[in-house]
């Protein structure tokens, strides 16, 4: 029997969106471009990374204090991607990981280049691998990678 | 490196997926490639469906290759819309254009979203007689032309007036929504 005939479809917004960031995410992306990660301190003293305009726990506006965190952190959860899609940040199998960066009270989602699923576990120490050319976008972080000796 | 604060971000949203083309849709496409429009006539109620279906949804009666008919590549405009393309990013249309529902001669349902060509938009009207402008051989898409399950894929680029007298309204009034 021959292979069934298939049709390929793409649904997309041509060229994608350009959206405004607002002051808080704008600050976060500006710092990313400079190779730094910042969170914002809430009125209760917690550090949200990425920063938000309002504290999701209380609904109160956050303070105007930005706190540099990372660049290393700890995996709090992960999901292994066996077959990366074309738009994924890495072209080889990787993990989506929630990483609580050192100095942060919340976890941050990004790709983790760990090689094999066995190398990923909750509690794994990882650090940011920066892209050489940065433009103020989340993709300025190429991915996380396990810390040497982790 | 720019010292300007970041105020905007790109967001790419895309969904790509692969579907299997049903054997009947592929068969419809293969006929389109030969400039033929395939339909199927219900053996119970005699309604002709274009594109063809495997069963009549009114009678829930199966339709097979023995029920196939060819319908004309000409018909009557039953409804239409004049579109003015907003020039958003990625828009390819520049001028106003018309899309119409067309009742093909020999079919019992209209085909929608059909581009009208070679016509002054002021002359577009219900009852207008039109005929298919086929894509050149080799550019009709083959079996894939039927893949969407509606319309004619890239096999037909548009429909142009035939110059025939208009179809009397009572002959297509049941097809005007």
């Amino acid at each position: 029997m021959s292979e069934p005939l298939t049709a390929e479809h793409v649904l997309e917004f041509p060229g994608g969106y350009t959206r405004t960031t607002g002051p808080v995410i704008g600050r976060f992306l500006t710092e990313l471009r400079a190779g730094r990660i910042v969170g914002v301190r809430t009125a209760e003293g917690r550090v949200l990374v990425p920063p938000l305009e309002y504290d999701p726990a209380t609904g109160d506006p956050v303070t105007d204090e930005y706190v540099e965190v990372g660049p290393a952190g700890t995996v709090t959860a992960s999901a292994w991607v066996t077959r990366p899609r074309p738009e994924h940040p890495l072209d080889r199998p990787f993990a989506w990981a929630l990483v609580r960066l050192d100095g942060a009270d919340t976890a941050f989602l990004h790709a983790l280049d760990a090689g094999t699923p066995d190398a990923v576990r909750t509690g794994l120490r990882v650090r940011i691998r920066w892209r050489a050319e940065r433009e103020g976008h989340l993709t300025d972080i190429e991915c996380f990678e396990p810390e040497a000796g982790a | 490196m720019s010292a300007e604060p970041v105020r905007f971000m790109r967001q790419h949203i895309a969904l790509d997926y692969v579907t299997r083309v049903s054997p009947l849709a592929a068969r419809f496409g293969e006929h389109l490639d030969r400039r033929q429009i395939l339909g199927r006539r219900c053996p119970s109620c005699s309604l002709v469906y274009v594109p063809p279906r495997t069963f009549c949804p009114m009678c829930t009666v199966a339709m097979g290759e023995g029920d196939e008919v060819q319908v004309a590549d000409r018909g009557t405009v039953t409804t239409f819309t004049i579109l003015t393309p907003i020039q958003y990013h990625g828009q390819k249309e520049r001028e106003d254009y018309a899309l119409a529902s067309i009742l093909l001669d020999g079919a019992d349902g209209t085909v929608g979203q059909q581009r009208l060509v070679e016509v002054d938009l002021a002359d577009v009207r219900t009852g207008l007689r039109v005929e298919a402008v086929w894509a050149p051989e080799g550019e009709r898409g083959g079996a894939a032309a039927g893949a969407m399950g509606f319309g004619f894929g890239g096999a037909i680029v548009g429909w142009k007036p035939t110059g025939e007298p208009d179809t009397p309204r009572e002959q297509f009034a049941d097809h005007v929504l």
Side-chain angles (χ1 to χ4, degrees), chain A residues 4-21 26 29-30 33-34 85 87 135-137, chain B residues 1-21 26 88-90 143-144 147-148:
Chain A
L5 181 68
T6 58
E8 294 178 9
H9 310 266
V10 180
L11 280 178
E12 67 180 336
F13 298 95
Y17 285 121
T18 298
R19 48 180 289 206
T20 54
T21 59
L29 296 176
T30 303
R33 188 176 58 194
R85 307 270 299 156
E87 296 293 338
E135 52 173 353
H137 197 275
Chain B
M1 192 180 290
S2 167
E4 284 291 304
V6 176
R7 295 177 55 223
F8 303 96
M9 64 180 281
R10 284 173 294 101
Q11 188 161 12
H12 183 230
I13 298 173
L15 174 67
D16 60 287
Y17 59 101
V18 176
T19 55
R20 287 192 177 181
V21 180
Y88 51 75
H89 182 75
M148 293 301 281

Side-chain angles (χ1 to χ4, degrees), chain B:
Chain B
M1 192 180 290
S2 167
E4 284 291 304
V6 176
R7 295 177 55 223
F8 303 96
M9 64 180 281
R10 284 173 294 101
Q11 188 161 12
H12 183 230
I13 298 173
L15 174 67
D16 60 287
Y17 59 101
V18 176
T19 55
R20 287 192 177 181
V21 180
S22 78
L24 181 55
R27 185 172 167 78
F28 180 61
E30 287 159 6
H31 279 74
L32 289 175
D33 212 48
R34 301 195 293 270
R35 300 175 50 133
Q36 295 169 351
I37 300 176
L38 188 69
R40 281 187 179 178
R41 185 190 305 278
C42 172
S44 172
C45 68
S46 298
L47 288 178
V48 172
Y49 292 91
V50 176
R53 300 188 184 203
T54 55
F55 67 96
C56 172
M58 305 292 280
C59 307
T60 60
V61 166
M63 295 189 288
E65 292 188 15
D67 301 307
E68 287 179 348
V69 292
Q70 253 193 64
V71 303
D73 65 348
R74 61 173 56 199
T76 299
V77 171
T78 60
T79 52
F80 65 91
T81 306
I82 307 290
L83 294 96
T84 298
I86 301 296
Q87 296 303 305
Y88 51 75
H89 182 75
Q91 171 67 269
K92 296 188 173 91
E93 301 287 350
R94 290 290 177 265
E95 306 292 331
D96 288 9
Y97 63 100
L99 293 179
S101 289
I102 298 172
L103 181 62
L104 296 176
D105 297 351
D108 286 300
T110 58
V111 282
Q113 305 276 325
Q114 297 300 302
R115 181 82 172 234
L116 299 184
V117 296
E118 299 178 41
V119 61
D120 190 329
L121 293 183
D123 294 333
V124 174
R125 58 193 181 272
T126 59
L128 181 68
R129 295 283 296 162
V130 293
E131 62 183 330
V133 178
W134 291 91
E137 182 155 13
E139 297 175 24
R140 294 185 199 128
M148 293 301 281
F150 57 88
F152 306 104
I156 292 174
V157 297
W159 300 78
K160 66 178 182 182
T162 64
E164 297 165 288
D166 283 9
T167 302
R169 171 164 281 271
E170 58 272 19
Q171 290 181 24
F172 64 86
D174 288 348
H175 296 279
V176 177
L177 291 175

Side-chain angles (χ1 to χ4, degrees), chain A residues 21-108:
Chain A
T21 59
V24 173
I25 295 294
R27 170 71 182 266
F28 174 70
L29 296 176
T30 303
E31 300 282 355
L32 272 190
R33 188 176 58 194
R36 293 187 295 268
I37 308 257
V38 297
V40 72
R41 195 176 299 281
T42 68
E44 295 183 324
R46 299 168 73 234
V47 176
L48 307 179
V49 180
L52 299 169
E53 294 182 34
Y54 296 90
D55 183 350
T58 63
D60 293 334
V62 296
T63 70
D64 56 7
E65 183 190 350
Y66 287 86
V67 180
E68 187 171 351
V69 298
T74 304
V75 171
T76 63
S78 67
W80 189 254
V81 178
T82 306
R83 288 188 299 274
R85 307 270 299 156
E87 296 293 338
H88 274 159
L90 295 170
D91 61 3
R92 52 194 173 278
F94 67 94
W96 287 118
L98 279 169
V99 174
R100 192 170 62 239
L101 290 161
D102 296 345
D105 289 298
T106 60
F108 174 83

